Amino acid sequence: MTIFLFSIFSLLFSLLHNSLPVHSFPTSSKLEERTFIISVNHNAKPSIFLTHYHWYQSSLNSLTSNPPSKQVLHTYDTVFHGFSAHLTNYEANLLSKQSHILSLIPEQVRSLHTTRSPLFLGLETTSLNTSSLLEESDFGSDLVIGVIDTGIWPEHQSFNDRNLNAIPSKWRGSCPSDFPCNRKIVGAKLFSEGYEATNGRMNASSEFRSPRDSDGHGTHTASIAAGRYVFPADTLGYAKGVAAGMAPKARLAVYKVCWTSGCYDSDILKAFDEAVKDGVDVISLSVGGVVVPYYLDSIAIAAFRAVQNGVFVSASAGNGGPGGSSVTNVAPWVTTVGAGSIDRDFPAEVVLGNGRRIPGVSVYSGPGLEPGKLYPLVYAGNRESGDGGGGGEGYSASLCLDGSLDPILVRGKIVLCDRGINSRVAKGEVVKEAGGIGMIIANAVFDGEGLVADCHVVPATSVGSANGDIIRKYISNKSKKLSTPTATIVFRGTRIGIRPAPVVAAFSARGPNPETPEILKPDLIAPGLNILASWTERVGPSGLITDRRKAKFNILSGTSMACPHVSGLAALLKAAHPDWSPAAVRSALMTTAYTLDNQGGIMKDESTGNESTVMDIGAGHVHPQKAMDPGLIYDLTTYDYIDFLCNSNYTTSNIELIAPKKANCRGAKRAGHVGNLNYPSLSYVFVQYGKHKMSSHSIRIATNVGDPDSVYRVKIIPPTGTNVTVEPEQLSFRRVGQKLNFLVRVQVEAMKLSAGSSSTISGAIIWSDGKHSVTSPIVVTMQEPL
Ligand SMILES: *[C@@H]1O[C@H](CO)[C@@H](O)[C@H](O)[C@H]1NC(C)=O
Ligand SMILES: *[C@@H]1O[C@H](CO)[C@@H](O)[C@H](O)[C@H]1NC(C)=O
Ligand SMILES: *[C@@H]1O[C@H](CO)[C@@H](O)[C@H](O)[C@H]1NC(C)=O
Ligand SMILES: *[C@@H]1O[C@H](CO)[C@@H](O)[C@H](O)[C@H]1NC(C)=O
Ligand SMILES: *[C@@H]1O[C@H](CO)[C@@H](O)[C@H](O)[C@H]1NC(C)=O
Ligand SMILES: *[C@@H]1O[C@H](CO)[C@@H](O)[C@H](O)[C@H]1NC(C)=O
């Protein structure tokens, strides 16, 4: 894996240092193959070829001597023109010299944005109350949400089609003949050619060669976006209640691209291609990878063309938080969604032998610990044998990695394991196999105090970093008179009405935007912590192969779960406002988002308990009812995004990879800078070259979507130490659809910063007509030159 990533990075490096999109690839590893996504001037097809596929295959055939050995994996003809193929660098070089080849983009492997994924160290759907939006009986039923994920469990009650009208006539998608689609699941396709080109043929007895979900993630996200009402729903007795997606009447189209070893760009691109052709209205993508320039990112390219076709694309921000600059899926035409908590949790506290009680969370259910009894407690990472040490290699044992625990030292005990490397539920399995009877998972320092509840296979709970230290100290206390440290875990079930809520989930990825700091990302947050939604019948709720429990619903956490909340909401907004562009939908969600929690204070960051910032939450937490009637919107067209790319100083050939034949930067260069993109948030980046005042300005264009005659006045909350002015301070609209411009000017003074560091301060501008409040966050970043 590491080697693969390294080679991708070195390749990208060479790509970035070459102004042309066609490159020469390093020849050192002649035989190492990887998948490339190949952009082609598709209009140049010679007429002797019947189809583009034949032409592309012939290009590949010319690379190798007889017999031809390279196959086209996918051809693309909707959001992208070209094909993908698995090639050596030598072959890639040869191919790039053919005149119709525009560029070769090396494939990235993406992962699911759930915190269950071992790669991350680190609504209840009714939590967003959409009931007042759903009064009309068939509200949202003309809309199709495309979910690009691990597939779906189609027989689940959440996907029944009772009382649903006929499939919308515009729909062009399809399902395999042996797959039980219905009026709810109106499309289902799978794409594995890219995955199998790298990994060899899939093991069809451990994953389905069908849109059926063997993982559970895709079933979960699909039901969050558009699951129907199911009562009662619960996981192992936790979180009992009604389960429903955001848009229960909307249709689902499933595009399965994620397999046991990841989600491959060549397959994801094909899914976008098909989804747009099929006629989806919304694409939901809870998957991500490393951030690269937009023209090298096939998801960004595919999303651009989807948006150009009027499709709203929401994507998860990633789970790389709480560190800064961790946000992914940052293209300005994508809606980037971070994760917050809901007002529900699952307390499971640790009681130590010294009487101390330590808060934790868990959704374990099954044979429990004996009430009132204390069990011996060991820290798997203690090297000293005989002193409660878990044995094995200290480091791997501290993390309870597979095979690292010595059964002699662990049997009959509760084991403290550090979070990281393997998944949290897998640690429980390791403890169980070694004969342990319970487990406490302690966060690492960088996880902070953020807790995620899991369906463990042993009695287990998760505690924060500081509390983990307390337990470790208790275990290793040399001065204690009594010999063995002891503990138990008390499971307290489901608790609702938690305050404060929402808080920003510790894992939720944060700004600033690593690619374009002038565009604030994430855009907003939605529920993504301990979310109850539907589950596959293929695996138990822990997702472990050995877990034989069955659960119709499961509780998962991640920005993966936040993204489909926004996808479902976008479908509802499109149903209410069929003429709104994807940017208008996003604007409505952002300008009406809230930043206060249920105690009336600024939303907190779970990892520190401190107040969150715009880098954590973007515009704030989505508010479904308010988003229906935003008053004003900040709209954007394809041409605005092209101006943005021009002003980002991308070359014309790079821009043409994203927007073919559209790139014309002459006008755009005059229009100024990237901050002029008519975005619902405002981000200004200043580099301090001296101790003087600096200023910047940007233009915004507001479109009236409220009452025909309305007068908005501005309220400015300047970031501390700055002066912000808005001209004019009043916007008087005469009709719906009318657009009025205003100019925002920001003045700052140099501030004390250490070399290479930066500081961000934030404020807001709020347009109000007495009925609507249209809020845009303003963030100012001051950087010291390196
Ligand atoms: C949801 O919203 C509706 C209408 O605003 C309200 O009547 C209902 O009580 C709300 N339900 C919950 C659970 O907050
Ligand atoms: C395929 O998966 C099954 C079920 O998980 C497993 O028993 C079998 O060993 C696997 N086969 C291969 C070739 O990996
Ligand atoms: C260690 O044990 C001693 C004696 O029981 C006790 O006074 C002390 O508070 C303990 N320290 C910790 C960190 O638990
Ligand atoms: C949290 O707030 C405290 C007190 O204001 C401050 O000392 C600390 O640095 C803050 N932590 C972070 C990570 O910002
Ligand atoms: C683009 O280049 C111009 C001129 O060199 C520079 O002033 C501007 O800051 C650059 N913009 C970005 C987004 O890099
Ligand atoms: C803001 O305006 C005040 C009053 O005009 C002025 O004294 C101050 O220097 C300005 N601050 C900045 C950062 O421009």
Side-chain angles (χ1 to χ4, degrees):
M1 189 62 187
T2 319
I3 293 163
F4 179 74
L5 281 178
F6 265 113
S7 58
I8 280 282
F9 279 128
S10 59
L11 201 78
L12 289 174
F13 198 74
S14 68
L15 289 169
L16 290 171
H17 286 74
N18 206 323
S19 56
L20 284 168
V22 178
H23 313 272
S24 58
F25 298 102
T27 46
S28 54
S29 50
K30 251 192 163 183
L31 296 177
E32 189 191 325
E33 298 193 357
R34 61 163 64 87
T35 300
F36 291 90
I37 290 162
I38 299 145
S39 171
V40 176
N41 178 7
H42 69 294
N43 294 320
K45 180 175 81 64
S47 54
I48 52 161
F49 295 108
L50 213 51
T51 65
H52 281 85
Y53 168 81
H54 289 93
W55 181 35
Y56 300 154
Q57 185 60 54
S58 145
S59 310
L60 288 180
N61 291 351
S62 70
L63 300 177
T64 51
S65 45
N66 273 332
S69 60
K70 295 293 171 181
Q71 288 298 316
V72 168
L73 297 173
H74 291 293
T75 61
Y76 309 107
D77 58 12
T78 303
V79 298
F80 191 81
H81 290 287
F83 61 103
S84 47
H86 204 59
L87 304 173
T88 63
N89 289 331
Y90 176 74
E91 290 161 346
N93 254 327
L94 277 185
L95 187 63
S96 71
K97 298 202 168 78
Q98 300 186 2
S99 63
H100 57 291
I101 303 296
L102 298 176
S103 76
L104 284 85
I105 303 174
E107 174 174 71
Q108 259 201 65
V109 187
R110 318 266 173 167
S111 33
L112 299 167
H113 278 159
T114 154
T115 66
R116 298 159 73 85
S117 165
L119 292 177
F120 295 105
L121 301 176
L123 152 142
E124 189 170 19
T125 41
T126 51
S127 61
L128 281 182
N129 185 353
T130 54
S131 57
S132 64
L133 309 181
L134 299 171
E135 281 153 12
E136 276 180 80
S137 57
D138 266 320
F139 200 63
S141 74
D142 287 340
L143 281 293
V144 182
I145 302 173
V147 181
I148 300 180
D149 210 298
T150 65
I152 198 164
W153 194 265
E155 293 86 1
H156 197 285
Q157 300 156 273
S158 293
F159 309 123
N160 80 68
D161 65 357
R162 232 176 303 121
N163 304 327
L164 278 183
N165 288 338
I167 295 170
S169 57
K170 60 159 197 186
W171 180 244
R172 294 179 295 272
S174 62
C175 299
S177 56
D178 56 354
F179 196 75
C181 284
N182 56 16
R183 292 191 308 274
K184 179 67 183 176
I185 302 173
V186 299
K189 294 181 177 175
L190 68 148
F191 305 102
S192 62
E193 287 84 345
Y195 166 62
E196 293 185 296
T198 298
N199 291 276
R201 226 175 137 70
M202 76 173 71
N203 179 348
S205 61
S206 60
E207 39 192 340
F208 301 111
R209 187 179 290 283
S210 104
R212 188 174 290 279
D213 182 8
S214 57
D215 178 277
H217 186 274
T219 303
H220 205 263
T221 55
S223 70
I224 291 170
R228 306 209 64 192
Y229 286 95
V230 178
F231 179 85
D234 67 59
T235 301
L236 308 173
Y238 287 88
K240 271 206 178 76
V242 181
M246 298 311 300
K249 295 270 176 111
R251 321 293 173 130
L252 284 164
V254 170
Y255 301 88
K256 179 172 172 179
V257 298
C258 293
W259 306 87
T260 49
S261 62
C263 327
Y264 288 73
D265 271 358
S266 51
D267 296 332
I268 297 174
L269 184 56
K270 186 66 179 172
F272 268 93
D273 216 47
E274 293 287 311
V276 170
K277 211 182 302 178
D278 290 346
V280 300
D281 300 285
V282 172
I283 287 177
S284 191
L285 183 73
S286 291
V287 163
V290 295
V291 174
V292 295
Y294 306 123
Y295 62 91
L296 292 176
D297 181 343
S298 57
I299 290 185
I301 295 171
F304 182 91
R305 316 259 186 103
V307 168
Q308 201 174 5
N309 281 281
V311 178
F312 180 90
V313 179
S314 59
S316 45
N319 301 342
S325 255
S326 46
V327 64
T328 66
N329 291 325
V330 294
W333 41 88
V334 166
T335 299
T336 313
V337 189
S341 70
I342 58 178
D343 66 345
R344 180 187 66 197
D345 73 0
F346 308 101
E349 64 186 13
V350 176
V351 182
L352 296 178
N354 62 9
R356 184 147 187 177
R357 289 170 175 269
I358 288 173
V361 300
S362 178
V363 285
Y364 171 76
S365 136
L369 301 169
E370 265 179 57
K373 181 173 170 190
L374 288 169
Y375 296 85
L377 174 66
V378 293
Y379 176 43
N382 274 1
R383 281 160 184 276
E384 310 105 294
S385 57
D387 189 27
E393 297 288 323
Y395 177 68
S396 56
S398 72
L399 293 159
C400 299
L401 302 187
D402 199 12
S404 69
L405 296 181
D406 180 351
I408 294 170
L409 296 171
V410 164
R411 182 162 299 132
K413 296 178 183 166
I414 293 177
V415 183
L416 175 67
C417 303
D418 294 337
R419 183 167 167 186
I421 309 289
N422 58 345
S423 75
R424 297 178 303 273
V425 288
K427 293 176 195 293
E429 190 177 37
V430 171
V431 167
K432 190 179 181 187
E433 278 170 4
I437 59 155
M439 175 177 68
I440 301 164
I441 298 179
N443 279 354
V445 174
F446 54 80
D447 299 316
E449 305 307 311
L451 299 181
V452 178
D454 295 297
C455 292
H456 292 286
V457 294
V458 285
T461 189
S462 291
V463 303
S465 159
N467 283 328
D469 288 342
I470 290 172
I471 300 174
R472 271 183 223 103
K473 277 208 189 92
Y474 164 71
I475 293 174
S476 62
N477 190 346
K478 291 279 187 286
S479 63
K480 64 182 174 273
K481 303 279 182 313
L482 300 170
S483 50
T484 46
T486 56
T488 190
I489 302 168
V490 182
F491 298 94
R492 301 212 180 275
T494 307
R495 189 170 55 171
I496 56 169
I498 299 299
R499 286 160 180 269
V503 301
V504 182
F507 57 76
S508 188
R510 315 302 165 99
N513 178 340
E515 184 58 21
T516 315
E518 295 83 0
I519 302 294
L520 178 64
K521 292 281 180 175
D523 290 310
L524 38 69
I525 66 169
L529 187 63
N530 299 332
I531 302 302
L532 179 79
S534 311
W535 195 238
T536 175
E537 285 182 23
R538 174 71 182 192
V539 283
S542 70
L544 298 169
I545 291 171
T546 51
D547 185 357
R548 304 257 173 252
R549 297 174 295 177
K550 288 278 171 255
K552 293 274 186 205
F553 294 89
N554 199 3
I555 292 167
L556 296 192
S557 299
T559 52
S560 273
M561 284 67 238
C563 164
H565 279 96
V566 168
S567 312
L569 275 179
L572 295 179
L573 290 173
K574 276 203 143 187
H577 306 281
D579 55 329
W580 280 9
S581 69
V585 171
R586 175 176 58 196
S587 177
L589 289 166
M590 286 174 69
T591 62
T592 59
Y594 60 92
T595 56
L596 302 182
D597 61 30
N598 58 3
Q599 292 179 317
I602 297 199
M603 231 184 286
K604 305 289 188 296
D605 176 355
E606 190 196 21
S607 69
T608 58
N610 288 357
E611 286 179 357
S612 63
T613 72
V614 290
M615 292 301 175
D616 309 326
I617 61 173
H621 191 284
V622 288
H623 191 303
Q625 283 82 12
K626 286 195 175 162
M628 278 288 155
D629 182 18
L632 304 177
I633 53 169
Y634 299 101
D635 206 356
L636 285 163
T637 66
T638 301
Y639 295 99
D640 297 314
Y641 292 124
I642 290 170
D643 284 355
F644 162 83
L645 292 169
C646 294
N647 289 322
S648 300
N649 294 343
Y650 283 1
T651 64
T652 305
S653 50
N654 288 341
I655 295 171
E656 280 183 340
L657 287 175
I658 304 170
K661 291 182 300 198
K662 290 282 195 326
N664 177 355
C665 286
R666 270 168 304 167
K669 290 280 187 214
R670 278 200 308 274
H673 59 98
V674 287
N676 274 345
L677 184 70
N678 196 32
Y679 216 74
S681 56
L682 297 138
S683 173
Y684 301 90
V685 180
F686 295 97
V687 181
Q688 303 188 157
Y689 286 107
K691 288 233 167 236
H692 56 276
K693 280 193 186 177
M694 292 167 286
S695 79
S696 184
H697 61 268
S698 44
I699 297 164
R700 287 293 181 271
I701 306 164
T703 306
N704 181 24
V705 295
D707 305 323
D709 272 301
S710 43
V711 177
Y712 284 83
R713 287 186 186 77
V714 76
K715 179 180 169 195
I716 302 168
I717 305 171
T720 312
T722 70
N723 289 337
V724 176
T725 56
V726 173
E727 291 166 45
E729 295 184 329
Q730 178 172 310
L731 300 175
S732 304
F733 293 94
R734 288 268 160 265
R735 57 183 174 84
V736 172
Q738 187 182 356
K739 293 177 189 292
L740 292 174
N741 295 0
F742 61 92
L743 183 85
V744 182
R745 192 182 301 276
V746 176
Q747 287 182 297
V748 296
E749 246 153 0
M751 53 168 85
K752 270 213 185 89
L753 292 172
S754 49
S757 80
S758 69
S759 169
T760 59
I761 40 180
S762 65
I765 63 170
I766 304 162
W767 288 102
S768 178
D769 66 345
K771 183 174 161 197
H772 306 94
S773 289
V774 188
T775 305
S776 292
I778 301 181
V779 53
V780 171
T781 304
M782 304 285 283
Q783 291 176 344
E784 196 67 14
L786 281 168

